[in-house]
Amino acid sequence: MKRDFLALSQYTKEELDSLFVLTRELKDKQKKGIEHRLLKGKSVALIFEKSSTRTRVSFEVGVFQLGAHPLFISTKDSQMGRGEPIKDTARVMARYCDGVMIRTYGQEIVEEFAKYSSVPVINGLTDLFHPCQIMADIFTVIESLGSYEGLKFAWIGDGNNMANTWVEAAAIFGFDLTLACPKGYEPDRKVMEWAKARATSKIVLTDDPREAARDADVINTDVWASMGQESEQKEREKAFAGYQLNEALLDEARGNCMVLHCLPAHRGEEITDDVIEGPHSAVWDEAENRLHVQKAIMARLMRG
Ligand code: CP
Ligand code: NVA
């Protein structure tokens, strides 16, 4: 039976850990120039309803490196933009392609797409989750610090798609996570309830950024207004004013703390230029690892 990659909660810790092992193998092969055309002769559709730099390029290059053919499809240039139902598009795409990645708004859209698609569907970001990104982030932590076990992770800022996915990850992988979000901008309530009910680790929500940052091994932030929230920029700047990841906040964390940001970043808002450019920042490795981790996900799902 085909499997999708819509949320981390569809997978066990063991399954996700084994994706990191495959990621390591594929990254090593790519660096050494060893062929790894695991999807030779296949085609993968990449559907975008929102803008992208990293997701588009890393998926296109990743599909190519696996020996398959990527198709970039912007919804506004296809019949989806003229209202063709998701369930019709999903069934037609599956007649041509061996897999689909989709970036869109509601999580229910990727779920409906996956329900009607006979080929694997990967979530390339929704308003609720960004699972490929968090897999790349955790792989970056493993590469740098050896493991995620026993670490304290901190989230500073908006309780958005990234924060929600970190909450799922903390429950699945069993690491401690403290999120500092302003009142009214907390992570999704259902995701928090799901995670708290199954977590063996501490998942703490506070409105105090210093509490989250204190003794953190990994500290993570993201933009204050996500795609689709542009009209709220000004009111969000006010609400998030005390939630900047700057040197003073970083001083609360452990001496070898890693700074992550999924990018794009708004320097001077959620993160300062000196922190993102500073010695703790792992954001370029993090961006690169999107490529390697997504190749592992595609190879696992689409190889047949
Ligand atoms: N981090 C991330 O998903 O970046 P893009 O929006 O550029 O794809
Ligand atoms: N939270 C951001 C992430 C971008 C990769 C957004 O959804 O716009």
Side-chain angles (χ1 to χ4, degrees):
M1 215 184 71
K2 70 124 183 180
R3 285 192 81 182
D4 304 301
F5 196 81
L6 308 183
L8 297 183
S9 57
Q10 296 176 299
Y11 288 83
T12 64
K13 176 181 191 291
E14 290 68 32
E15 287 170 330
L16 297 176
D17 279 336
S18 88
L19 278 173
F20 293 136
V21 174
L22 182 57
T23 303
R24 179 76 266 156
E25 195 186 304
L26 295 178
K27 183 169 179 177
D28 289 344
K29 284 192 169 149
Q30 194 252 322
K31 296 286 176 197
K32 290 180 188 149
I34 300 170
E35 199 180 290
H36 51 284
R37 291 154 60 86
L38 300 177
L39 299 181
K40 198 170 164 192
K42 296 188 188 277
S43 295
V44 182
L46 310 174
I47 301 173
F48 287 86
E49 196 168 6
K50 289 177 174 171
S51 305
S52 171
T53 297
R54 280 144 289 271
T55 305
R56 176 179 177 175
V57 177
S58 58
F59 266 101
E60 280 201 34
V61 171
V63 169
F64 169 75
Q65 289 180 359
L66 290 171
H69 174 69
L71 295 96
F72 170 78
I73 300 157
S74 151
T75 51
K76 65 175 187 298
D77 301 322
S78 72
Q79 299 292 5
M80 278 175 279
R82 297 181 58 247
E84 183 168 10
I86 295 292
K87 60 185 180 183
D88 294 3
T89 308
R91 283 175 288 188
V92 171
M93 290 287 203
R95 298 289 178 113
Y96 303 130
C97 301
D98 301 283
V100 177
M101 185 241 69
I102 177 163
R103 164 171 285 197
T104 184
Y105 290 90
Q107 182 72 10
E108 68 285 354
I109 299 174
V110 294
E111 280 167 8
E112 187 176 0
F113 203 106
K115 181 176 161 193
Y116 285 94
S117 172
S118 55
V119 299
V121 176
I122 296 173
N123 178 356
L125 178 146
T126 61
D127 293 341
L128 191 65
F129 292 127
H130 198 358
C132 295
Q133 180 71 56
I134 271 55
M135 287 297 283
D137 294 7
I138 297 172
F139 183 77
T140 310
V141 171
I142 297 170
E143 264 191 324
S144 268
L145 304 178
S147 167
Y148 53 75
E149 306 276 358
L151 301 185
K152 179 186 171 183
F153 288 70
W155 176 265
I156 310 292
D158 192 17
N160 62 13
N161 42 12
M162 285 289 298
N164 293 332
T165 317
W166 274 113
V167 170
E168 283 204 340
I172 297 165
F173 291 105
F175 50 72
D176 289 349
L177 170 69
T178 303
L179 306 112
C181 309
K183 294 250 172 340
Y185 296 94
E186 294 90 354
D188 184 82
R189 193 175 42 82
K190 280 197 192 140
V191 173
M192 281 297 274
E193 281 169 8
W194 176 89
K196 287 207 163 187
R198 68 170 278 161
T200 52
S201 55
K202 283 187 272 182
I203 302 177
V204 178
L205 180 60
T206 171
D207 61 2
D208 179 2
R210 282 184 308 172
E211 182 187 338
R214 196 165 303 132
D215 297 326
D217 299 284
V218 179
I219 190 162
N220 206 314
T221 190
D222 187 15
V223 291
W224 292 339
S226 286
M227 289 182 275
Q229 298 171 335
E230 289 79 2
S231 65
E232 300 172 26
Q233 176 70 26
K234 284 283 163 251
E235 72 184 80
R236 283 173 170 266
E237 279 173 24
K238 282 194 206 114
F240 288 94
Y243 290 78
Q244 185 183 65
L245 179 48
N246 52 30
E247 289 290 352
L249 195 59
L250 201 52
D251 279 346
E252 301 283 337
R254 287 199 187 276
N256 65 343
C257 177
M258 271 179 87
V259 168
L260 297 177
H261 190 309
C262 65
L263 306 175
H266 290 185
R267 286 166 168 80
E269 290 182 26
E270 78 278 1
I271 193 163
T272 55
D273 187 65
D274 51 358
V275 169
I276 201 166
E277 299 291 349
H280 296 274
S281 171
V283 301
W284 316 118
D285 290 334
E286 179 186 5
E288 177 187 333
N289 284 331
R290 291 289 303 278
L291 168 70
H292 306 296
V293 95
Q294 288 160 191
K295 283 167 70 181
I297 295 167
M298 288 190 285
R300 208 29 76 78
L301 262 47
M302 298 174 195
R303 222 173 153 201

